[in-house]
Amino acid sequence: MSEDKKRSILVLEGGAMRGLFTAGVLDVMMDHGLEFDEVIGVSAGATFGVNYVSRQKGRTIRYNKRFAKDPRYCSIRSLITTGDLYGGEFCYHVLPAELDVFDEKTFVDNPCVFTVVATDVKTGKPVYHTVPDMSYESLEWVRASATMPMLGKPVKIRGGSYVDGGAADSIPLDYALNRGYEKIVIVLTQPLEYRKGKMTRIPGFHALYPAVAKAMDERPEKYNEVLDRIMRLEKAGRVFAVRPPGNLPVGKIEHDPAKMQEAYDIGRKTAEEIIGGMETYLNKIEDR
């Protein structure tokens, strides 16, 4: 993408199953034909954001409800037998290839750049990886972005080890600003008043992953500072943020299809209420 075409970017926060709110927002955006030069997703923002780039409206909520109670998808059994709460091979390779087929051709043909954020286990720093296709390695990058420490094995890719991008950069606002985008739309998965508290220490975590643990110790302050900056940039007309109106009925793990649908429907309703404002923001030509 040339510098003069860096007009708009869509930033998708994670939040595990809170990402179903994002899925609802994205489906309404697809209804209205909204497209971006780049989409950057963190954790669930990555795993669900791919369906926006492949233009598969409804796919995210469909497969989540279908496999909500399947132990291969998300279960303690999967954690014990595979080392991953969300089954890595099943979720990221079997499901998109065989059970709810991902439209790789549309994804590849879409000129939109798709980027995921992962955390380097060795350094604790964020890694921003552009995903060009849905090859096995590319899907492993998407998986890495959403692999919650201690609930999934670090994903090994070309000699590196990676976990959830949210540990190092939960909301990649600076990435979007530093890349020079004129229009920045951010989909958050917590309500306006939310602020992150200190991390609960997990026995053995700091010894096992010291760099990631340090990043997570620092995460609340950095996360809350980004939220405050987003609010200031909103008031200045620099960014457009979408948030749930209150706490969502799902958490990091959810096996109830009805609650999944409820979170998704809240996303749709929220998006339908603000879509006109988003379109105006994206189409507005700034005074030069």
Side-chain angles (χ1 to χ4, degrees):
M1 190 190 332
S2 63
E3 292 298 319
D4 61 342
K5 290 184 179 179
K6 284 185 179 176
R7 185 169 186 274
S8 62
I9 185 170
L10 176 61
V11 178
L12 305 176
E13 183 186 11
M17 283 300 160
R18 292 198 309 274
L20 291 171
F21 167 83
T22 302
V25 172
L26 295 180
D27 281 359
V28 171
M29 290 168 64
M30 279 191 268
D31 286 341
H32 286 256
L34 296 186
E35 298 190 349
F36 293 80
D37 294 301
E38 183 170 358
V39 173
I40 182 166
V42 183
S43 195
T47 58
F48 298 164
V50 293
N51 298 314
Y52 181 76
V53 182
S54 68
R55 301 189 177 104
Q56 288 178 277
K57 187 172 64 175
R59 181 173 183 267
T60 298
I61 185 61
R62 181 175 65 239
Y63 73 70
N64 273 282
K65 289 173 64 178
R66 178 182 173 187
F67 298 106
K69 298 182 180 180
D70 190 319
R72 297 172 299 172
Y73 187 63
C74 175
S75 67
I76 297 300
R77 189 178 90 181
S78 175
L79 180 62
I80 293 170
T81 58
T82 71
D84 295 305
L85 180 69
Y86 287 89
E89 188 65 25
F90 179 80
C91 293
Y92 295 95
H93 300 291
V94 175
L95 193 159
E98 302 174 14
L99 303 177
D100 196 317
V101 177
F102 183 79
D103 187 348
E104 183 177 8
K105 183 179 187 306
T106 298
F107 179 90
V108 172
D109 290 346
N110 191 336
C112 172
V113 174
F114 184 66
T115 303
V116 301
V117 185
T119 299
D120 188 309
V121 170
K122 184 177 180 180
T123 66
K125 302 296 183 183
V127 175
Y128 307 97
H129 181 81
T130 296
V131 177
D133 51 36
M134 286 291 109
S135 65
Y136 193 94
E137 182 176 299
S138 291
L139 285 165
E140 286 293 273
W141 276 107
V142 178
R143 175 187 168 198
S145 182
T147 296
M148 294 180 281
M150 302 299 283
L151 294 178
K153 303 186 306 290
V155 179
K156 298 185 183 301
I157 305 172
R158 298 199 177 196
S161 293
Y162 307 94
V163 293
D164 198 316
D169 192 358
S170 300
I171 308 170
L173 172 65
D174 283 331
Y175 175 92
L177 292 170
N178 293 337
R179 292 268 289 166
Y181 283 103
E182 299 175 57
K183 300 293 182 178
I184 302 171
V185 173
I186 305 173
V187 182
L188 303 168
T189 58
Q190 295 283 13
L192 179 64
E193 65 276 9
Y194 176 81
R195 292 298 181 273
K196 188 175 293 295
K198 289 185 178 180
M199 172 188 169
T200 301
R201 291 213 164 208
I202 304 171
F205 180 68
H206 284 69
L208 193 59
Y209 304 117
V212 177
K214 183 176 184 294
M216 293 185 72
D217 284 341
E218 297 171 350
R219 184 184 181 196
E221 182 178 356
K222 291 181 177 179
Y223 181 88
N224 295 335
E225 188 270 337
V226 170
L227 291 182
D228 291 340
R229 287 173 60 204
I230 289 172
M231 290 179 66
R232 292 195 296 271
L233 290 168
E234 277 184 287
K235 290 178 181 178
R238 183 69 180 86
V239 306
F240 190 99
V242 184
R243 306 173 181 83
N247 293 328
L248 294 169
V250 292
K252 289 185 178 297
I253 302 169
E254 185 55 65
H255 297 292
D256 185 342
K259 289 184 178 180
M260 291 179 171
Q261 185 69 48
E262 185 179 354
Y264 171 83
D265 289 343
I266 291 170
R268 285 199 62 95
K269 184 174 186 296
T270 299
E272 287 163 355
E273 291 171 352
I274 55 85
I275 197 69
M278 186 187 296
E279 289 175 322
T280 298
Y281 166 78
L282 288 170
N283 292 327
K284 182 180 177 183
I285 300 175
E286 299 292 347
D287 293 333
R288 302 284 182 184

